[in-house]
């Protein structure tokens, strides 16, 4: 059964300068050139015009954030360590609050709300719903207040923010669809694994934007 477009939310995940090759970002993900960002922009405009409610996540870290390798003596970029039993990838400093490349590259006028994440120095946060300390963001409240029942997710990175946000959305009881062609991942293996894991959790994966399929998922 098709539900009203206004009950379907779209979460544009972390399409920020620092994650793109286009803007020579600090944590540039392969394939995130200008053409990719323009494709995401166009798709988001289309979905907005069709009546879908558009939201965004924004990675938004303080300079002393725990995920930056520079804040760990002897730490190296992309090294994986354990912190209090949690797995933590040490990233190059990225999306530092107030910096130019922390800005979202999709037209901000399209968003009903932007949910910032990773603001707590002590915890990383790939998911738009909660951080690694299980502190919730305002995401679920905002979606509920807007009467959202189903969620479409795409953006950067397939294997981190998109995956974590989609899985948490499914856990929170939303029906979830991910548009693979509007996502880019940090690494091919982890991205393939992420897509598999999402499918196994009942998340629908679409190769490309398909309004007919989104209308009825
Ligand atoms: C992300 C790496 C570092 C993400 C955030 O949200 O995908 N990835 N910080
Ligand atoms: Zn981050």
């Amino acid at each position: 059964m098709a539900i009203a477009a206004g009950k379907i939310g779209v979460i544009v995940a972390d399409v920020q300068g620092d994650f793109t090759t286009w803007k020579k970002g600090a944590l540039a993900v392969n394939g995130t050139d200008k053409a990719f960002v323009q494709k995401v922009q166009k798709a988001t405009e289309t979905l907005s015009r069709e009546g879908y409610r558009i939201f965004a996540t924004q990675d938004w870290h303080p300079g002393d954030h725990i995920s930056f390798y520079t804040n760990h003596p002897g730490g190296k970029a992309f090294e994986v360590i354990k912190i209090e039993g949690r797995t933590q990838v040490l990233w190059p400093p990225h999306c530092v609050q107030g910096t130019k490349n922390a800005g979202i590259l999709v037209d901000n006028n399209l968003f009903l709300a932007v949910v910032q994440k990773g603001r707590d120095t002590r915890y990383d946060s790939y998911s738009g719903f909660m951080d690694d300390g299980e502190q919730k963001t305002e995401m679920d409240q905002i979606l509920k207040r807007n009467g959202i029942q189903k969620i479409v997710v795409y953006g950067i990175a397939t294997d981190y923010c998109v995956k974590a946000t989609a899985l948490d959305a499914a856990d929170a009881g939303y029906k979830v669809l991910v548009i693979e062609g509007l996502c880019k991942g940090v690494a091919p293996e982890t991205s393939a694994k992420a897509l598999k894991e999402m499918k196994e959790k009942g998340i629908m994966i679409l190769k490309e934007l398909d309004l007919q399929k989104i209308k009825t998922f």
Side-chain angles (χ1 to χ4, degrees), residues 19 59 61 65 67-68 91 94-95 117 124-126:
F19 291 126
D59 213 29
H61 298 309
H65 194 252
S67 76
F68 298 171
W91 303 105
H94 63 278
C95 301
K117 62 190 185 60
D124 210 353
S125 183
Y126 302 134

Side-chain angles (χ1 to χ4, degrees), residues 26-27 61-81 83 88-94 96 121 124 126:
L27 181 32
H61 298 309
D64 59 353
H65 194 252
I66 194 164
S67 76
F68 298 171
Y69 81 88
T70 46
N71 293 325
H72 297 264
K76 293 182 191 63
F78 303 103
E79 187 183 347
V80 181
I81 64 166
I83 299 173
Q88 177 66 56
V89 181
L90 297 183
W91 303 105
H94 63 278
V96 174
T121 295
D124 210 353
Y126 302 134

Side-chain angles (χ1 to χ4, degrees), residues 161-199:
C161 184
V162 171
K163 170 189 157 186
T165 300
L167 289 175
D168 278 354
D171 271 347
Y174 300 94
K175 262 196 101 172
V176 185
L177 182 153
V178 167
I179 306 176
E180 190 181 345
L182 297 174
C183 297
K184 294 291 176 189
V186 171
E189 313 78 49
T190 44
S191 296
K193 226 178 116 190
L195 289 167
K196 185 166 172 276
E197 198 177 329
M198 290 189 279
K199 267 185 218 164

Side-chain angles (χ1 to χ4, degrees), residues 12-214:
V12 182
D14 291 11
V15 181
Q16 296 169 255
D18 263 337
F19 291 126
T20 68
T21 56
W22 179 27
K23 299 295 180 183
K24 300 186 167 55
L27 181 32
V29 170
N30 275 331
T32 55
D33 54 5
K34 185 177 178 184
F36 170 74
V37 175
Q38 285 178 333
K39 181 181 174 185
V40 171
Q41 168 70 30
K42 282 261 168 290
T44 310
E45 282 172 17
T46 300
L47 290 165
S48 178
R49 206 185 310 121
E50 293 286 324
Y52 299 93
R53 306 286 186 236
I54 318 290
F55 306 90
T57 61
Q58 183 175 33
D59 213 29
W60 194 249
H61 298 309
D64 59 353
H65 194 252
I66 194 164
S67 76
F68 298 171
Y69 81 88
T70 46
N71 293 325
H72 297 264
K76 293 182 191 63
F78 303 103
E79 187 183 347
V80 181
I81 64 166
K82 287 277 182 193
I83 299 173
E84 292 166 358
R86 303 187 310 274
T87 299
Q88 177 66 56
V89 181
L90 297 183
W91 303 105
H94 63 278
C95 301
V96 174
Q97 295 173 3
T99 59
K100 185 152 194 279
N101 260 352
I104 297 177
L105 301 175
V106 172
D107 179 4
N108 284 240
N109 294 312
L110 293 168
F111 305 132
L112 277 179
V114 175
V115 173
Q116 296 179 328
K117 62 190 185 60
R119 293 160 51 165
D120 185 333
T121 295
R122 300 167 299 166
Y123 295 104
D124 210 353
S125 183
Y126 302 134
S127 165
F129 286 82
M130 69 175 104
D131 69 18
D132 289 357
E134 296 187 7
Q135 181 70 43
K136 288 192 175 181
T137 65
E138 354 39 296
M139 181 67 86
D140 190 47
Q141 273 184 26
I142 291 173
L143 296 173
K144 288 222 165 75
R145 200 190 306 139
N146 282 278
I148 301 300
Q149 297 174 356
K150 301 186 182 186
I151 299 175
V152 176
V153 187
Y154 54 81
I156 313 167
T158 317
D159 34 359
Y160 293 93
C161 184
V162 171
K163 170 189 157 186
T165 300
L167 289 175
D168 278 354
D171 271 347
Y174 300 94
K175 262 196 101 172
V176 185
L177 182 153
V178 167
I179 306 176
E180 190 181 345
L182 297 174
C183 297
K184 294 291 176 189
V186 171
E189 313 78 49
T190 44
S191 296
K193 226 178 116 190
L195 289 167
K196 185 166 172 276
E197 198 177 329
M198 290 189 279
K199 267 185 218 164
E200 284 168 0
K201 294 273 157 67
I203 292 167
M204 191 169 155
I205 311 288
L206 270 194
K207 284 281 180 204
E208 296 294 343
L209 177 67
D210 180 333
L211 289 177
Q212 212 51 46
K213 289 205 171 125
I214 290 174

